[in-house]
Amino acid sequence: MSVLEIRVLGDPVLRQETKPVQVVTDDLRKLVDDMFETMHAAKGIGLAAPQVGRVERVAVIDVEGGTQPLVLINPEIVSASADTAKSEEGCLSIPDVFGDVERPSGVVVRALDREGKPFEVEATELLARCIQHENDHLHGKLFIDHLSVLKRRAALARWSKQKDRYPGFIRRMTAEEVAEHHHAEDL
Ligand code: K1U
Ligand code: ZN
């Protein structure tokens, strides 16, 4: 498995619509495995293919620290609750920028798993939020798009102070971050 480079805000791939997966191949499973590796190294709870420069409609989620990893291939949110919740979000593609986002508190998502088998999950709380955040990525949308004009302006001002750390819109995990992740895996 490999830790991939993460694309950051400004890379046009993050604004692209993804392409539905036609067949779940070994190559796609390798992408899924590398995405988990990358997400864990970056200490995230989710990651979508455009964040690693890919256009396949694929996301991975692990809100429980390894106990309930979720692979979403061609996900569709089939229902969303009328009640909403506001909570802070971050994004591995906009490091060190956070904002409160209001979203439906619960969702039902339908997708294919790593073997290409259809399944449905009913989610609430952080899992529901993460599913919606990753599903947005698969349609070229970012959490900052949900902020008010003023809050988005503040978030972008914060980002503009950081963005020079990522030449070519690429965030590479440091050797320390990768080593720390491997150490955590061995425990
Ligand atoms: O898609 C991504 O950029 C990953 C993102 C997912 C996410 C975070 C918070 C709410 C919804 C979706 C992250 O994992 S950012 C890392 C982070 O800020 C975080 C980590 C653990 C718990 C909560 C947030
Ligand atoms: Zn994100």
Side-chain angles (χ1 to χ4, degrees), residues 98-174:
F98 302 92
D100 285 338
V101 179
E102 184 157 12
R103 299 191 186 265
S105 336
V107 292
V108 176
V109 65
R110 186 180 296 156
L112 303 178
D113 67 13
R114 195 177 177 280
E115 309 310 321
K117 196 167 148 243
F119 70 98
E120 245 179 51
V121 166
E122 193 175 340
T124 57
E125 301 181 352
L126 185 57
L127 180 58
R129 180 168 294 280
C130 194
I131 287 171
Q132 294 173 80
H133 180 113
E134 300 314 327
N135 191 58
D136 275 357
H137 272 300
L138 299 177
H139 298 289
K141 195 162 179 175
L142 302 171
F143 83 88
I144 52 171
D145 303 337
H146 291 276
L147 304 179
S148 67
V149 173
L150 277 181
K151 296 225 165 109
R152 185 162 59 240
R153 204 175 284 160
L156 290 175
R158 188 167 163 79
W159 171 244
S160 71
K161 289 188 195 144
Q162 331 255 2
K163 65 179 191 316
D164 293 345
R165 290 194 208 162
Y166 308 99
F169 306 117
I170 288 172
R171 172 182 179 189
R172 289 188 180 86
M173 293 299 115
T174 62

Side-chain angles (χ1 to χ4, degrees), residues 51 90-93 133-134 137:
Q51 295 181 276
C91 181
L92 297 179
S93 294
H133 180 113
E134 300 314 327
H137 272 300

Side-chain angles (χ1 to χ4, degrees), residues 1 6 52 57 61 68 77 87 92 110 114 132 157 159 170 175:
M1 279 196 280
I6 295 179
V52 293
R57 193 160 298 163
I61 291 179
Q68 284 285 322
I77 294 180
S87 188
L92 297 179
R110 186 180 296 156
R114 195 177 177 280
Q132 294 173 80
W159 171 244
I170 288 172

Side-chain angles (χ1 to χ4, degrees), residues 10 17 29 31 49:
E17 179 68 27
R29 279 188 274 272
L31 172 64

